[in-house]
Amino acid sequence: MIELKGIHKSFEEKAVLRGVDLKVEKGESVVVIGGSGSGKSVLLKHIIGLLKPEEGTVTIDSTDISRLDEDGLNELRKKTGMLFQSAALFDSMNVWENVGFGLKRHTSMTDREIKEIAVQKLKLVGLTGVEGLMPSELSGGMKKRVGLARAIAMEPDILLYDEPTTGLDPIMADAINDLIIKMREKLHVTSVAITHDMRSAYKIADTIAMLYNGVIIARGTTDEIKNTSDPVVRQFIEGRSTGPIIIEGIER
Amino acid sequence: MLVRLIEFFGVIIVKPVEGVGRALLLLGSVLKNIFKPPFDIRNIFGQMLEIGVNSLPVVLITAIFTGMVLALQSFTGFKRFGAEGLVGSVVALSMTRELGPVLSALIVTGRAGAAMAAELGTMRVTEQIDALETLATNPVKYLVVPRFLSGTIMLPALAVVTDIVGIIGGYLVTVVWLGASSKAYMRATWDFLKTDDIYSGLIKSCFFGAAFTLISCYKGFYAKGGAEGVGQATTGAVVFSSMTILISDYFLSAWLFK
Ligand SMILES: Nc1ncnc2c1ncn2[C@@H]1O[C@H](COP(=O)(O)OP(=O)(O)O)[C@@H](O)[C@H]1O
Ligand SMILES: [Mg+2]
């Protein structure tokens, strides 16, 4: 279970998160929606300890992660996989070395065994015959799949997705959505995805939460969010440029 | 107006001090992680290869021509008061005490230091460093420690090569080109050269190696804002490393050769 309580985070005077509360039950799939620059990535990075809150706590399976030392945090990270928006593959390593990186660092497996597992994880995300390629030789959709294979290589309990479908064509985006659903069904993971792609949100979420002005302004099941009367959420999910949401740099 | 001026000076003073502070924090973290297993032997060897072996051609060419020009200049200069016999000593002392360590450090900074800042900077802005952390890998230990160690080990080695090749360059010009006696040149080389000269040169090299790798990694590690940020990190790495090498060279010399 993941619980964020009163998370505040700012960058040089700019308050990005102003008291975020979010609870994710074991095995649940939560999607956080919100505009570009609203702090979704910042929120996600708090769950895996890449950023530290100025105020508030992140609790995972009843441990406050700010109390963990480096080793403790690393143990937690071994049980958490993260897919980055840009995939963030290591460009000095080929595909199977990327996927097997965690295994190489944290287990005593031989390269052969690691490669075998990498190939198997790649297959799970629908990629075959790419294990020897370099990241620069892959398309955007393939990179995301390799990133996903890397995230699941250590068989995590928690998966975090940063805009898994952004920048992909609609068919590839849907294929990634299917993969995310498959991950949950096959691996029984708890997952948090952030996106502004509503099609994707509806498809993969049990619960949708909306981040706006640094706080979670709404939270509900997919159907509840679809039928919400909150004007801010309505404007966002319908994708209208007119409404209560203030867009920086656009005057009306 | 006055406030603006004060703020301006504030920024000028705080920025470098803050940078030095953060670089020292990085150094602390490097030192903490150096002795912590697991040791990335393969990674360290890779970096040693990159820093040491791949810099060799440039270092060799620089060293031989430096030795040659040093001999040529001192020969024609010393001839005016009949001291040609001292050319070998001048070349040997200047190379081992000063030019060997400093030139090799500056060349390696331009090559390997720039490459480090660019590589780590790219990894930072493309979130690869974040990805390392999410894979439970300490990025300082994985990226900075091997570079720091290899720099500190390989620079003295390169300095020795520079010393020797520079002395050979001096020999070529003095003996082969200008026709001085080979025996006299060799004697002048050995007579005044003390092991202390060589050691203190190597101590300087170690320090330069530690300094340029730390500065270059620091610049890359904290790069921000896309390709432009990586470019700035790379330039900054070379400028600050070179300045640190030249300035610290004076103080190290004053301390080591007192
Ligand atoms: N490391 C950082 N340093 C400074 N500002 C940051 C940093 N990370 C994020 N921000 C700022 O926080 C805001 C939210 O960013 P982000 O979470 O990436 O938005 P998004 O919702 O699009 O993922 C942006 O204005 C961004 O400029
Ligand atoms: Mg983002």
Side-chain angles (χ1 to χ4, degrees):
Chain A
M1 189 193 69
I2 305 167
E3 190 172 15
L4 307 185
K5 256 196 198 145
I7 301 289
H8 284 255
K9 181 74 181 177
S10 44
F11 295 101
E12 286 148 20
E13 318 281 295
K14 186 178 171 192
V16 177
L17 303 181
R18 321 175 192 210
V20 168
D21 296 308
L22 185 68
K23 205 165 165 182
V24 184
E25 298 296 340
K26 206 167 184 62
E28 192 184 14
S29 169
V30 170
V31 170
V32 179
I33 58 173
S36 298
S38 59
K40 303 186 297 297
S41 296
V42 170
L43 173 63
L44 206 63
K45 284 177 181 171
H46 277 86
I47 300 178
I48 195 161
L50 284 175
L51 292 172
K52 311 248 170 327
E54 278 131 26
E55 256 180 73
T57 53
V58 180
T59 315
I60 290 174
D61 291 335
S62 63
T63 347
D64 173 355
I65 69 166
S66 69
R67 288 177 194 277
L68 292 172
D69 60 4
E70 193 185 329
D71 293 336
L73 194 57
N74 280 341
E75 285 312 308
L76 184 83
R77 284 170 172 169
K78 287 180 199 167
K79 293 271 122 211
T80 310
M82 176 154 177
L83 173 60
F84 286 84
Q85 189 170 344
S86 58
L89 300 180
F90 304 124
D91 43 33
S92 59
M93 294 173 211
N94 67 24
V95 165
W96 78 259
E97 289 168 331
N98 261 285
V99 175
F101 186 87
L103 296 169
K104 175 100 190 160
R105 300 285 300 176
H106 305 300
T107 68
S108 50
M109 284 183 208
T110 63
D111 278 2
R112 235 178 111 139
E113 292 165 323
I114 293 173
K115 188 170 176 183
E116 224 163 78
I117 294 180
V119 167
Q120 184 194 325
K121 301 293 175 192
L122 285 165
K123 204 162 162 203
L124 200 60
V125 299
L127 290 173
T128 44
V130 299
E131 55 273 9
L133 297 180
M134 296 304 283
S136 57
E137 298 172 277
L138 305 176
S139 71
M142 284 161 95
K143 278 185 191 161
K144 287 233 161 133
R145 285 163 183 248
V146 174
L148 185 54
R150 183 175 69 182
I152 61 172
M154 303 269 289
E155 291 172 0
D157 303 329
I158 298 172
L159 269 173
L160 308 175
Y161 303 93
D162 191 343
E163 305 204 12
T165 58
T166 304
L168 301 180
D169 69 63
I171 293 168
M172 183 58 74
D174 203 49
I176 296 278
N177 289 337
D178 287 337
L179 274 179
I180 293 174
I181 294 168
K182 187 166 143 192
M183 292 305 127
R184 187 171 38 138
E185 284 169 357
K186 273 207 166 164
L187 312 173
H188 308 288
V189 291
T190 307
S191 66
V192 182
I194 58 178
T195 188
H196 48 227
D197 171 359
M198 288 315 298
R199 265 179 76 104
S200 170
Y202 290 147
K203 189 154 177 180
I204 63 181
D206 298 323
T207 307
I208 296 178
M210 177 155 175
L211 180 67
Y212 180 66
N213 264 340
V215 292
I216 300 288
I217 54 160
R219 185 202 152 104
T221 63
T222 307
D223 285 330
E224 282 166 358
I225 292 291
K226 266 183 186 162
N227 303 315
T228 182
S229 57
D230 184 316
V232 171
V233 181
R234 281 237 71 83
Q235 185 193 343
F236 188 85
I237 63 177
E238 287 166 11
R240 283 181 284 109
S241 68
T242 51
I245 296 180
I246 299 150
I247 313 170
E248 260 179 78
I250 295 183
E251 277 186 50
R252 278 198 301 266
Chain B
M1 184 62 209
L2 184 68
V3 174
R4 278 259 183 91
L5 204 69
I6 292 171
E7 277 175 357
F8 176 73
F9 279 109
V11 170
I12 284 189
I13 293 166
V14 166
K15 273 263 165 88
V17 171
E18 193 189 297
V20 171
R22 286 209 295 170
L24 287 177
L25 287 180
L26 182 63
L27 176 63
S29 167
V30 166
L31 295 177
K32 212 166 59 194
N33 280 297
I34 277 185
F35 302 105
K36 214 167 151 191
F39 304 106
D40 269 308
I41 306 294
R42 230 177 61 177
N43 210 341
I44 295 172
F45 272 120
Q47 287 302 322
M48 284 169 76
L49 209 68
E50 173 60 32
I51 294 175
V53 181
N54 296 348
S55 301
L56 214 49
V58 214
V59 167
L60 288 178
I61 292 172
T62 313
I64 196 147
F65 276 94
T66 306
M68 281 162 65
V69 77
L70 206 57
L72 187 67
Q73 290 280 23
S74 41
F75 190 90
T76 46
F78 286 7
K79 207 173 167 183
R80 293 177 194 159
F81 40 91
E84 302 99 301
L86 287 175
V87 170
S89 318
V90 169
V91 172
L93 288 183
S94 333
M95 288 308 299
T96 52
R97 292 170 68 139
E98 190 55 41
L99 295 173
V102 173
L103 283 179
S104 55
L106 290 177
I107 288 166
V108 175
T109 295
R111 261 195 86 258
M116 278 175 205
E119 189 179 357
L120 265 57
T122 305
M123 289 187 76
R124 168 62 73 195
V125 302
T126 56
E127 296 183 311
Q128 290 177 53
I129 292 184
D130 285 341
L132 277 176
E133 285 197 63
T134 66
L135 292 163
T137 299
N138 181 326
V140 172
K141 179 158 181 62
Y142 185 74
L143 295 172
V144 185
V145 166
R147 286 167 173 78
F148 180 82
L149 274 180
S150 330
T152 315
I153 296 167
M154 288 317 273
L155 260 200
L158 283 172
V160 169
V161 173
T162 312
D163 293 350
I164 294 170
V165 173
I167 290 172
I168 294 173
Y171 180 90
L172 286 179
V173 167
T174 326
V175 178
V176 179
W177 176 256
L178 297 167
S181 128
S182 158
K183 231 178 170 174
Y185 183 88
M186 290 314 286
R187 185 146 25 82
T189 302
W190 293 119
D191 271 2
F192 292 99
L193 193 63
K194 292 195 226 129
T195 41
D196 273 5
D197 295 322
I198 298 170
Y199 284 145
S200 49
L202 296 187
I203 292 174
K204 288 208 261 185
S205 277
C206 280
F207 181 86
F208 297 157
F212 100 85
T213 46
L214 183 73
I215 294 172
S216 304
C217 288
Y218 164 76
K219 284 286 175 183
F221 207 76
Y222 292 107
K224 279 198 227 211
E228 196 190 345
V230 176
Q232 282 170 355
T234 310
T235 316
V238 175
V239 170
F240 281 107
S241 299
S242 309
M243 276 181 11
T244 306
I245 288 168
L246 292 171
I247 294 171
S248 65
D249 180 45
Y250 175 81
F251 291 102
L252 285 171
S253 302
W255 171 57
L256 289 165
F257 299 120
K258 57 172 180 276

